[in-house]
Amino acid sequence: MFWLFLLVLTVIFIGPIVWMFLTSIKTNPEATAVPPTLLPSSPTFDAYEGLLRLDGAYPVLRWFLNSLLAATLHMVLVLAIASTAAYALARLHFRGRGALFVVIVSTLFIPGFVFLIPNYLIIDRLGWLDTVWALAVPGAAGAFGVFFLRQFFAMLPGELEEAALIDGANQWQIFTRIVLPNSKPALATLAVLSFLSNWNDFVWPIYVLFSPERLTLPAGLRLLQGAYTTDYPVIMAGAFVASVPVLILFLFTQRYVIEGVSRSGLKG
Amino acid sequence: MATTAPAAPPASPTRIRRHAPWTPYAFMAPFLVVFATFVLAPAVLGIWMSLHDWDFMLPSKPFIGLDNYLALFDSTSAVFEEFWNGMRATAIFTVASVPFLVAVPLGLAVLLNRRFPGRTFFRAVFFMPYVLGVAVVGLLFRFMLDPNIGIVNGLLGTTTPWITAQPWAWISLVAMTVWWTLGFNTIIYLAGLQDIPRELYDAAKVDGASAWQVFRNVTLPGLRTVHLFVVTITILASANMFGQALLVTNGGPGDSTRTALIVMLAEGLESFRMGSAAAMSYLLAIFLGIVSIVQVLAMRERRPRWRS
């Protein structure tokens, strides 16, 4: 009974993802047949072939590369600025540290949509509209990364650091040689979470990007849906291409991701 | 990802303090520059915009005080109907989805908290849809829920208008959101369950409590803080609903699923009335703030007995 219940749930949760792939390798008549067929009678990768040409009208491969670039830049930026700030907030002493931390954390409680319209203007003023900077940079200022790493850094024992200080190490050396290497799980978690959120972002890219060749995959998929309203294998192929990197990333790092999520809710 | 947590214990003070006074500021600087530009500045700029007739196309942006806000409450204004239609859609979605996004993950977490082989596997299975983006999930469900060729009607042998008639459109949007995001809350509840002291369960067993009594008197009170967190972030996420309604129902049927965020972004970035859009966003934020405060006050009454 228990196992049957779990099996049903598993089918419900994995089923749609499998269905997305199965549809993408069908011919359109088969994908839209009534009643639906489960498995493709003659699997074909035609839907992918057109989509993955760089020079097509709907350059999915280019969108893929744009997404990859934006998400990677974003991830690197988050790790760089959040880890340094978190180090200062966790282990250095300076005037205004407590107040600064409170200000940063309190912005976690402001709903994201408040920033959309003003940030659009700021991005416009910076001349970043329709560029990768508009995708990679603004979200990197989120308080989550700093908060998350600070909690982790604060729990590291102080002895190593003191020994290094006595040996004449400066703060930068302590940070790069002691704190960062000892924080690999936390850094990996933040890296994956920030990559995932940037890769999947939908609202922001559809407003700050205009040129078809500069779109990210989620933004491009919307164009694709408009263009191929009835060609479901093509649409599902596009959706599947957008899912593969995050699914692979998740399969390899799910322990970190799940741990990171559970840590974000409580503990610290 | 909207995430918060209670403050952790303060860092242990370093006894040897050997760094220049400016060192901490140098470490903070890169973050602070980005934070000031894309978090603090927009928060302030948004308030400023909401007090001006900030049309992107106009050279001058005259100060108009609270007019943008008052227009949202004035039934004769151009924005009134659209805005409140959006607020109603967002409210309907929130009220309909939050109970499921709290109760189902709680049930799943209790289930997964039992010791059985493959527990970690199922944890990953339920979390997997969450790593997909709304663009993918939206297209996928748009296809699966298609009244004519969709697999859902195909399997059920029905011709339900899942996305073209109410209340089916709301049912579809809530169901796909539950499928998509349930793993997140489940993981948080699971972490919370693991923090409840084992002895409490043992004591309850000794007292001969039924499974329901244990759940009611040990599990639920033990999850109070987690519960508050889950409900708060779920309400916040529901208020942000945008992609599902845009991609699956395209705001329809009629304007019934045109959520507040769709209205706000159309006002600001398609009609270029950014002052008005900024006012909308702050009003929605104020509503959410009030909801959160009420919730914290309501939850404070119910302290777990074993902690007081």
Side-chain angles (χ1 to χ4, degrees):
Chain A
M1 201 43 220
F2 174 72
W3 288 101
L4 184 70
F5 183 61
L6 280 180
L7 182 72
V8 170
L9 282 178
T10 304
V11 170
I12 291 174
F13 278 82
I14 306 275
I17 301 173
V18 175
W19 187 243
M20 173 165 62
F21 175 70
L22 287 178
T23 305
S24 73
I25 57 169
K26 286 177 181 171
T27 60
N28 196 37
E30 196 179 9
T32 55
V34 181
T37 57
L38 195 60
L39 295 169
S41 54
S42 51
T44 163
F45 285 89
D46 283 357
Y48 292 89
E49 214 171 294
L51 283 182
L52 294 178
R53 254 186 288 125
L54 255 176
D55 53 348
Y58 297 93
V60 170
L61 189 58
R62 174 145 291 148
W63 297 338
F64 182 94
L65 296 173
N66 292 344
S67 283
L68 194 65
L69 176 67
T72 308
L73 264 177
H74 173 77
M75 177 185 83
V76 170
L77 189 63
V78 168
L79 287 181
I81 69 178
S83 63
T84 44
Y87 179 69
L89 289 169
R91 309 210 70 108
L92 302 178
H93 296 264
F94 59 97
R95 275 175 74 92
R97 183 176 84 159
L100 198 55
F101 186 63
V102 169
V103 169
I104 293 170
V105 169
S106 61
T107 62
L108 281 170
F109 297 92
I110 306 177
F113 55 76
V114 165
F115 302 105
L116 283 172
I117 303 272
N119 257 336
Y120 180 90
L121 278 186
I122 291 172
I123 289 293
D124 179 34
R125 194 61 58 87
L126 289 169
W128 285 4
L129 284 179
D130 210 22
T131 70
V132 69
W133 307 115
L135 302 174
V137 183
F144 173 70
V146 171
F147 176 77
F148 181 78
L149 289 182
R150 195 206 85 111
Q151 306 307 88
F152 195 89
F153 291 169
M155 289 187 308
L156 294 174
E159 286 79 15
L160 276 172
E161 178 179 349
E162 284 167 26
L165 272 174
I166 291 162
D167 289 344
N170 63 31
Q171 290 298 332
W172 180 251
Q173 289 165 329
I174 293 172
F175 172 65
T176 53
R177 292 189 198 166
I178 296 172
V179 172
L180 288 186
N182 279 298
S183 308
K184 278 181 192 150
L187 294 168
T189 304
L190 183 59
V192 175
L193 290 177
S194 49
F195 186 92
L196 283 177
S197 72
N198 192 274
W199 179 275
N200 284 330
D201 197 6
F202 177 65
V203 187
W204 182 244
I206 67 174
Y207 286 106
V208 295
L209 301 174
F210 316 113
S211 318
E213 74 277 9
R214 295 201 178 167
L215 298 180
T216 58
L217 253 175
L221 287 180
R222 201 176 160 226
L223 273 192
L224 203 63
Q225 188 194 21
Y228 291 95
T229 321
T230 51
D231 197 339
Y232 284 101
V234 170
I235 297 172
M236 289 300 109
F240 190 68
V241 171
S243 317
V244 165
V246 288
L247 287 175
I248 292 177
L249 193 62
F250 176 68
L251 287 178
F252 283 103
T253 61
Q254 50 103 355
R255 206 168 53 90
Y256 286 143
V257 177
I258 287 173
E259 177 68 9
V261 165
S262 70
R263 267 169 167 278
S264 72
L266 52 159
K267 303 179 183 173
Chain B
M1 202 172 303
T3 21
T4 56
S12 61
T14 319
R15 257 159 288 144
I16 310 163
R17 210 193 301 166
R18 234 170 273 163
H19 59 74
W22 52 264
T23 305
Y25 300 104
F27 272 96
M28 288 298 309
F31 176 78
L32 285 184
V33 170
V34 187
F35 181 73
T37 314
F38 299 106
V39 177
L40 292 185
V44 176
L45 178 62
I47 296 175
W48 174 264
M49 289 168 80
S50 74
L51 302 175
H52 290 74
D53 188 4
W54 197 296
D55 189 320
F56 198 59
M57 301 302 184
L58 289 179
S60 77
K61 287 142 175 89
F63 178 78
I64 54 166
L66 293 174
D67 282 6
N68 279 327
Y69 292 92
L70 295 175
L72 298 176
F73 290 103
D74 172 7
S75 60
T76 62
S77 77
V79 288
F80 180 84
E81 211 182 304
E82 236 194 325
F83 176 69
W84 290 104
N85 181 60
M87 291 292 272
R88 188 176 61 219
T90 296
I92 291 173
F93 179 73
T94 307
V95 169
S97 65
V98 171
F100 290 104
L101 286 170
V102 171
V104 181
L106 178 60
L108 266 186
V110 171
L111 192 76
L112 289 179
N113 200 37
R114 291 167 47 167
R115 269 157 241 277
F116 61 90
R119 194 163 76 133
T120 331
F121 168 77
F122 290 108
R123 223 171 57 149
V125 164
F126 300 137
F127 193 81
M128 193 180 291
Y130 188 77
V131 306
L132 301 177
V134 72
V136 167
V137 173
L139 291 186
L140 177 58
F141 277 78
R142 172 77 191 70
F143 173 55
M144 293 200 310
L145 294 168
D146 188 288
N148 302 314
I149 54 158
I151 180 86
V152 176
N153 273 343
L155 286 176
L156 299 174
T158 55
T159 52
T160 312
W162 292 109
I163 46 191
T164 48
Q166 292 292 15
W168 301 112
W170 280 130
I171 293 172
S172 301
L173 291 174
V174 168
M176 67 175 276
T177 306
V178 171
W179 178 84
W180 177 34
T181 63
L182 148 160
F184 187 86
N185 288 352
T186 305
I187 295 305
I188 292 183
Y189 273 128
L190 255 178
L193 285 174
Q194 273 147 26
D195 277 357
I196 299 176
R198 234 9 300 137
E199 304 86 70
L200 289 169
Y201 286 103
D202 297 339
K205 201 182 268 177
V206 171
D207 292 347
S210 69
W212 171 249
Q213 282 171 323
V214 172
F215 179 74
R216 181 78 193 73
N217 297 312
V218 179
T219 308
L220 273 188
L223 288 173
R224 199 180 55 97
T225 327
V226 184
H227 203 63
L228 185 63
F229 173 77
V230 167
V231 175
T232 307
I233 59 154
T234 308
I235 291 177
L236 218 71
S238 298
N240 263 303
M241 211 274 252
F242 174 84
Q244 299 101 301
L246 196 72
L247 292 163
V248 178
T249 57
N250 199 13
D255 275 339
S256 59
T257 61
R258 215 171 120 82
T259 60
L261 205 56
I262 296 182
V263 173
M264 187 196 105
L265 287 165
E267 177 82 355
L269 299 175
E270 283 161 30
S271 308
F272 292 116
R273 286 184 291 269
M274 294 187 163
S276 171
M280 288 178 182
S281 71
Y282 277 93
L283 196 58
L284 180 54
I286 290 167
F287 269 110
L288 288 173
I290 294 170
V291 170
S292 308
I293 291 168
V294 168
Q295 211 191 306
V296 171
L297 292 178
M299 298 285 289
R300 210 169 48 179
E301 301 306 307
R302 283 175 268 150
R303 283 189 182 284
R305 257 153 285 159
W306 48 268
R307 264 192 197 161
S308 52

